[in-house]
Amino acid sequence: MPRYRTELHIVQLSSSPTLAPFRHEVFRTIWLASLASNFGGLVQAVGAAWMMTSISDSVNMVALVQASTSLPIMLFSLISGALADNFDRRRVMLTAQGFMLVISVTLTIFAYLGFLTPWLLLSFTFLIGCGTALNNPSWQASVGDMVPRDDLPAAVALNSMGFNMTRSVGPAIGGVIVATAGAAAAFAANSLSYFALIYALLRWKPGVRANTLPRETLGRAIGAGIRYVSMSPNILKVLFRGFVFGLTASATLALLPLVARDLVAGGPLTYGFMLGSFGIGAVGGALLSSRLRQHLSGEGIVRLAFIAFAASSTLTGISGYTFLTCLALLVSGACWVLALSLFNVTVQLSTPRWVVGRALSLYQTTTFGGLAGGSWMWGVIADEIGPGDALLVSSALMLVGALVGLRYALPEFKSLDLDPLNQFNEPLLALDLKPRSGPIAVFIEYEIAEEDTVEFLNAMSIRRRIRIRDGAQQWVLLRDLENPTLWTESYHVATWVEYVRHNQRRTKSDADVFLKIRALHRGDRPPVVHRMIERQTVEPTDVETYKPTLDMH
């Protein structure tokens, strides 16, 4: 039996009611303002998709309307995540909203004057997607600043529900606007929708995050985010599953204008009603999410979403009746929000606050990469075999996506205690180091009994992952050849400030393995830590002043 005792820092989430986050005024205000913004965005999407059917005969160009909005999120989200973690998230969101307002007004003018071509329309939707890419990591990371951790799953589900509430009526109203007043009117409605959210963000005064360290450079911040996620197996599983879901499920939304036009012989109003059905289903999925989490694991919910989405896509692909297609889209919408909100929550609960924006941005990059690539892929396939058969192919691949869970199952729906440990005290140094001084080499010595060697190596394997995840480089574990009980852990960091940052990133959950290793140490005093700065020798240039003393021992 081990001689140590540690407290496992895992927080079991309470089953927070779906509407509990509305108790918090900031979340409630911004959520309501987001409804108006989401409504305008969906009206704009209907206008853009239907205008493309009017100015181009290519099925692929229609599908590219959605891809042009998703592609920037795939390309630029990681940069946006680094900005979200290193700058005031409220200001980042205000910048993104202002940028999208300017682009939307310009699009309205071009549409009204009749200047739009297929590629120019895609350029405008691409730029709006760039604004969304800048906004989303800051918005999603800010949810954790607006509500307590127990309410986070419900808050994420409510965000999805809010978007899909507008999706349940926005596309239908957008279809009416396009049918009666043209696409330019839909673009104008979107332009007006930004003002409510901009006003709400201007009124929000979030607390300032205390940080005594200088801000990371953009390149270093991006590298830290990639490193953290790459050393976090649970997050990697979510990214992979999100990509597969986006790639397969994107067929329904990408081909829906063609389903409305070709399979059920409808117009823009029919397309709006179909999107509305998808949105109503998503609202239902959000309301069901809390109850489903009480009875199913996260992996169980995701597999259910894949399988049910496959069934509904099959029905959408073979149906020639608007009513039947809308019923199928109700199921698709519910599965959409169940899967994506669960992916989002799992990433947030697996990530400390210092890197949550970057982790969410990588999740968006993979998921929207699947959406963008899938939208293009399904457009190409539909050009060859038709939209109905393309949906049948996507259904088969969704079933494969459900089977992937047998190998890459999502972690259980629980939350590690990722609050900062706050036990690191910067040591007093005899040398006058600057923050940029380095490289810094760290050596930690342990005395480990022979019978504890296997247990020590297992614990150090976890510690290695934590060290590298938090910024350490060149990590190695050394054993003394003359004194086998003496072990030395060694790693490097680029500068002194990076050494301090590395230690400040340690969480309460990380403390478990550190305490375990400390308990295995047999020495009379704690493990000895040596912090050293690397220095290079130089060739002597002045023989008279450079007179080394030779020691011939």
Side-chain angles (χ1 to χ4, degrees), residues 234-243 343 346-347 363 410-411:
N234 285 345
I235 300 178
L236 289 176
K237 290 178 182 177
V238 177
L239 300 191
F240 178 64
R241 301 298 295 284
F243 173 79
F343 292 149
T346 305
V347 170
Y363 159 68
L410 294 184

Side-chain angles (χ1 to χ4, degrees), residues 305-532:
F306 268 102
I307 294 170
F309 206 125
S312 61
S313 293
T314 299
L315 184 56
T316 301
I318 63 177
S319 170
Y321 302 96
T322 301
F323 177 74
L324 194 58
T325 300
C326 287
L327 286 179
L329 291 170
L330 288 173
V331 177
S332 296
C335 296
W336 179 274
V337 75
L338 284 172
L340 294 184
S341 63
L342 190 138
F343 292 149
N344 186 300
V345 170
T346 305
V347 170
Q348 294 211 43
L349 295 181
S350 303
T351 312
R353 300 302 301 166
W354 69 267
V355 74
V356 67
R358 281 162 280 187
L360 284 169
S361 70
L362 283 167
Y363 159 68
Q364 289 190 23
T365 298
T366 54
T367 302
F368 280 87
L371 287 171
S375 298
W376 171 80
M377 180 180 74
W378 297 118
V380 172
I381 293 174
D383 259 334
E384 296 294 326
I385 64 176
D389 289 340
L391 287 171
L392 296 180
V393 174
S394 74
S395 299
L397 292 179
M398 284 180 208
L399 294 177
V400 175
L403 294 175
V404 168
L406 298 175
R407 177 67 177 84
Y408 299 103
L410 294 184
E412 289 300 316
F413 205 83
K414 61 189 178 184
S415 172
L416 297 174
D417 190 346
L418 299 177
D419 290 335
L421 186 59
N422 290 331
Q423 291 184 358
F424 174 75
N425 296 313
E426 190 170 346
L428 297 176
L429 305 177
L431 292 179
D432 182 21
L433 292 188
K434 305 297 182 184
R436 65 179 182 275
S437 297
I440 304 297
V442 182
F443 301 89
I444 309 171
E445 296 177 354
Y446 307 93
E447 289 187 31
I448 305 298
E450 183 66 30
E451 62 268 22
D452 293 332
T453 299
V454 173
E455 195 170 1
F456 174 73
L457 290 174
N458 289 336
M460 291 303 289
S461 176
I462 300 174
R463 179 150 172 161
R464 171 187 177 275
R465 179 173 57 81
I466 294 172
R467 289 286 196 199
I468 296 175
R469 186 197 65 190
D470 290 348
Q473 302 171 355
Q474 303 175 38
W475 188 96
V476 294
L477 182 63
L478 308 170
R479 190 176 192 181
D480 195 299
L481 294 177
E482 298 176 1
N483 181 8
T485 63
L486 181 61
W487 296 77
T488 301
E489 177 189 8
S490 170
Y491 64 93
H492 291 66
V493 288
T495 62
W496 179 252
V497 72
E498 290 303 316
Y499 172 73
V500 176
R501 201 190 310 274
H502 166 81
N503 284 279
Q504 289 184 353
R505 287 170 175 171
R506 195 170 304 158
T507 68
K508 292 179 180 178
S509 178
D510 297 335
D512 298 327
V513 70
F514 282 66
L515 288 173
K516 180 177 180 179
I517 294 170
R518 176 66 181 84
L520 292 171
H521 174 66
R522 288 290 189 91
D524 296 332
R525 56 179 181 171
V528 178
V529 181
H530 300 281
R531 305 172 185 89
M532 302 181 180

Side-chain angles (χ1 to χ4, degrees), residues 88-100:
D88 185 333
R89 290 168 181 156
R90 169 180 164 273
R91 293 185 178 180
V92 174
M93 286 188 282
L94 282 170
T95 301
Q97 294 296 321
F99 174 78
M100 288 188 286

Side-chain angles (χ1 to χ4, degrees), residues 87-160:
F87 290 88
D88 185 333
R89 290 168 181 156
R90 169 180 164 273
R91 293 185 178 180
V92 174
M93 286 188 282
L94 282 170
T95 301
Q97 294 296 321
F99 174 78
M100 288 188 286
L101 172 61
V102 172
I103 298 300
S104 296
V105 170
T106 307
L107 173 59
T108 302
I109 294 172
F110 273 60
Y112 181 77
L113 297 177
F115 292 162
L116 285 181
T117 63
W119 285 107
L120 191 57
L121 177 59
L122 290 178
S123 298
F124 278 114
T125 55
F126 179 85
L127 289 174
I128 291 174
C130 290
T132 303
L134 178 61
N135 181 81
N136 280 358
S138 290
W139 162 235
Q140 295 189 28
S142 294
V143 175
D145 300 327
M146 299 177 190
V147 301
R149 199 169 182 84
D150 280 352
D151 288 342
L152 185 59
V156 172
L158 283 173
N159 282 338
S160 296

